[in-house]
Amino acid sequence: MTSFSHHLIITPILLPMLTAAFLLFIDERNRTVKALISLTSVVLLVLNAAILFRIESGPNDFDNVYLLGNWAAPFGIVLVIDGLSALMVLLASVLAVAALIFSLARWHAVGAHYHSLFQLLLVGVNGAFLTGDLFNLFVFFEVMLAASYGLLLHGTGTLRVKAGMHYIAVNLVGALFFLIGVSLIYGTAGTLNMADLATRMPDIEPDRLILMQAGAAVLGVAFLIKVGMWPLCFWLPTAYSAASAPVAGMFAILSKVGIYVILRLTMLLFGDGVSAGFGSQVLLFGGILTLIFGTIGVLASQALGRLAGYSVLVSSGTLLMVLGINDGIVSSGALLYLVSSTLTIGAFFMLIELVERGQDAGANVLAVTMEAYGDGEEHDVDEGEGVAMPGTLAILGICFAACGILLSGLPPLSGFIAKFAMLSAMMGTGSIGTTPGPAVWMLIVLVIFSGIAALISMTRAGIRTFWGSIEGTVPRVLVVEVVPVMFLLFLTLVLAIQAGPVMHYMDTTIRSLENPKQYIDAVRNAVVIESSVPAFETETGETGTGGS
């Protein structure tokens, strides 16, 4: 990287952090000003993420390590950008700009400090994707959770507060498990830097290795709670369906933070050696049970919000199952599935508000929501300013059908490409082997059946929503509301059209994860910038330096 692009690594954390702090000093009555500043920040964040992604998708010598305070690893905080983290930061940024634009129609004006909380959520999410040590992963994880608590409660109301309290309680328990796991790992290995930890793993004594694995298991529970693995998932459909539409759409990325961390640590720490395959059976069978539970929930859901919530569990179950298989070719397809399902579910949560708006005799959805979740008279919110969308039902119907196609994995959109890539690898064209066993065939059947279940549920919901009642009125949908939904769905079409280059990128990313030495060497060999501060010598004889 050049000196300029090198500083882009910290921008996905620094930009929303500074924006959140600055917005706190602006009065809540200046909603337009706050909205413009927040939107500008998110757009710049997308551009920054696109540049990082462009750099990682081209020739790269992997010098993409950012030393905060100019302290050498493992003594200082490091940020690392590679193919996986660049992809996840771009995905989070794209989803954020769509959710934020959608909220400008109504939701950003419902409660206080919406934009600051939104920016802080991005700080936590992007920090979790970029950090190179477990302690700062905990810090960013807590920032993400704290912001999500406020965003979930945004809009007040009895049912939303009840779901929010459950969400907070469960995630506080997860944070406690996280802290316990990190403490056990540090007490055993003496480091929390991921690269340094991977280097020390082979030298840990067998009796202490058990304690190390126990710490990793406790740490894994914290992320499996966030992912929503069964039986730790009962809170998720209720919490996500209670959130406001743009917040629920943004929450689609939160479960993928857990998937990212599990994938990163599994490949880095437990890819080979005496701990090879540690936890894979738990991920495999946990993913199977989560997929079954989510599929049943999708079939049983009558409300669209809960249908979307259970679709998150189907996505999580599928990804956990693939992580348990631990096959590179299958994982490449799963990485595309992760991107496709996140975009789809994010769009679907926002679309649900729009399609349900016409089912209550023309009442606007915010009034309906305030009646359901609290006292609508507490908030003075207008109908939303902007241009109404012509041909509303036709556009909403097309978007709804696209979501159904994506969730069920039918052609021609990216959901089909992703599932086809995974299933073809499972059936023998990948590195699993040419003769799949009964267990692999069971996984294939479950993935296919989950798609059929999604198709049945979406068809049933579509008939009830668009054809079932002749008394429903055409909802008033603003352009600023439907464009973000169409944008996310358009991206899934782009993924399908560019399936070749996209799968090449996914394959390259997975291969780099399977070769952790590249990551370890990049962190350990990161160059400290020369400064006037004198260097010091550690007990181990390594040389470090203070901040510049």
Side-chain angles (χ1 to χ4, degrees):
M1 279 191 172
T2 64
S3 58
F4 169 75
S5 59
H6 184 72
H7 291 290
L8 294 178
I9 300 175
I10 197 174
T11 307
I13 300 171
L14 193 60
L15 178 60
M17 182 185 297
L18 295 177
T19 303
F22 181 72
L23 289 172
L24 291 174
F25 294 98
I26 301 177
D27 192 275
E28 286 295 325
R29 289 170 293 186
N30 297 325
R31 292 169 179 167
T32 302
V33 175
K34 299 189 77 167
L36 288 175
I37 295 173
S38 183
L39 182 60
T40 302
S41 174
V42 175
V43 171
L44 292 175
L45 187 61
V46 172
L47 295 176
N48 182 92
I51 294 173
L52 290 175
F53 181 80
R54 179 74 176 179
I55 293 172
E56 289 301 319
S57 60
N60 195 349
D61 57 1
F62 206 85
D63 61 344
N64 308 334
V65 179
Y66 195 92
L67 303 176
L68 275 76
N70 203 31
W71 287 85
F75 309 105
I77 301 171
V78 296
L79 302 178
V80 185
I81 186 78
D82 63 353
L84 180 61
S85 54
L87 174 67
M88 298 304 294
V89 169
L90 179 60
L91 177 61
S93 303
V94 168
L95 192 62
V97 74
L100 184 61
I101 291 174
F102 185 96
S103 68
L104 297 183
R106 288 175 171 85
W107 283 107
H108 79 120
V110 174
H113 303 303
Y114 173 83
H115 292 288
S116 292
L117 290 171
F118 193 91
Q119 296 291 332
L120 288 174
L121 182 71
L122 290 175
V123 172
V125 171
N126 291 337
F129 292 147
L130 292 172
T131 186
D133 66 275
L134 293 179
F135 180 79
N136 286 281
L137 179 61
F138 172 75
V139 173
F140 287 122
F141 190 72
E142 287 301 297
V143 172
M144 178 187 74
L145 289 180
S148 69
Y149 299 156
L151 288 173
L152 178 58
L153 296 172
H154 183 76
T156 71
T158 304
L159 295 179
R160 180 168 290 134
V161 170
K162 181 180 178 181
M165 290 299 103
H166 291 167
Y167 176 84
I168 292 172
V170 170
N171 282 278
L172 284 177
V173 173
L176 177 61
F177 277 108
F178 196 142
L179 193 58
I180 294 173
V182 167
S183 300
L184 288 172
I185 292 174
Y186 183 76
T188 304
T191 183
L192 291 177
N193 182 279
M194 296 181 189
D196 194 42
L197 186 60
T199 304
R200 299 189 185 191
M201 280 283 290
D203 299 327
I204 298 177
E205 299 85 352
D207 56 335
R208 295 177 64 84
L209 183 62
I210 297 175
L211 189 60
M212 170 71 189
Q213 293 176 344
V218 174
L219 184 65
V221 171
F223 290 106
L224 291 175
I225 289 174
K226 199 62 194 170
V227 171
M229 189 185 82
W230 189 91
L232 308 173
C233 59
F234 294 98
W235 58 273
L236 192 148
T238 302
Y240 280 32
S241 60
S244 61
V247 171
M250 192 61 201
F251 277 13
I253 194 68
L254 298 191
S255 62
K256 305 308 183 289
V257 174
I259 294 291
Y260 166 85
V261 175
I262 293 172
L263 176 61
R264 172 73 72 189
L265 295 182
T266 299
M267 295 291 193
L268 192 60
L269 304 181
F270 305 112
D272 52 19
V274 294
S275 299
F278 174 76
S280 59
Q281 293 298 311
V282 174
L283 296 177
L284 177 60
F285 290 106
I288 291 173
L289 293 174
T290 306
L291 182 57
I292 293 173
F293 179 77
T295 301
I296 294 173
V298 165
L299 285 172
S301 297
Q302 299 299 317
L304 287 176
R306 293 190 67 82
L307 173 58
Y310 281 107
S311 296
V312 175
L313 296 183
V314 170
S315 173
S316 295
T318 303
L319 293 169
L320 287 173
M321 188 177 63
V322 171
L323 290 178
I325 294 175
N326 195 23
D327 177 84
I329 306 300
V330 181
S331 298
S332 299
L335 208 53
L336 175 58
Y337 176 78
L338 183 152
V339 176
S340 176
S341 63
T342 302
L343 295 174
T344 302
I345 294 172
F348 189 39
F349 271 118
M350 289 183 277
L351 179 64
I352 288 171
E353 176 179 309
L354 305 183
V355 300
E356 288 184 339
R357 191 172 294 176
Q359 295 182 357
D360 198 0
N364 98 36
V365 70
L366 193 56
V368 174
T369 304
M370 287 305 165
E371 182 180 353
Y373 289 102
D375 184 3
E377 296 180 357
E378 295 178 2
H379 305 281
D380 184 16
V381 182
D382 57 26
E383 288 286 324
E385 298 180 357
V387 180
M389 173 68 72
T392 299
L393 284 180
I395 294 174
L396 295 183
I398 293 172
C399 291
F400 192 90
C403 287
I405 290 172
L406 286 161
L407 291 175
S408 57
L410 296 177
L413 299 179
S414 58
F416 170 76
I417 304 295
K419 285 192 174 182
F420 181 82
M422 289 190 297
L423 294 179
S424 61
M426 290 182 188
M427 286 187 287
T429 60
S431 58
I432 288 179
T434 57
T435 308
V440 175
W441 281 113
M442 182 184 70
L443 303 182
I444 294 171
V445 170
L446 284 176
V447 172
I448 294 175
F449 182 73
S450 67
I452 296 174
L455 180 62
I456 293 172
S457 298
M458 291 294 290
T459 302
R460 179 183 62 200
I463 292 174
R464 184 175 63 247
T465 302
F466 294 98
W467 296 343
S469 174
I470 61 175
E471 297 178 358
T473 60
V474 177
R476 182 175 185 268
V477 176
L478 303 181
V479 174
V480 73
E481 294 174 309
V482 76
V483 166
V485 177
M486 296 174 64
F487 170 66
L488 294 179
L489 295 177
F490 174 74
L491 291 180
T492 64
L493 178 61
V494 173
L495 289 175
I497 295 174
Q498 298 293 323
V502 169
M503 283 305 302
H504 175 73
Y505 183 88
M506 304 304 179
D507 291 336
T508 303
T509 300
I510 292 298
R511 284 198 299 271
S512 68
L513 292 176
E514 291 177 334
N515 181 25
K517 186 177 184 299
Q518 191 178 20
Y519 181 98
I520 296 169
D521 291 344
V523 174
R524 291 175 63 87
N525 299 329
V527 178
V528 176
I529 301 174
E530 294 295 333
S531 67
S532 59
V533 179
F536 67 89
E537 188 170 306
T538 67
E539 295 179 0
T540 60
E542 299 180 37
T543 301
T545 181
S548 57

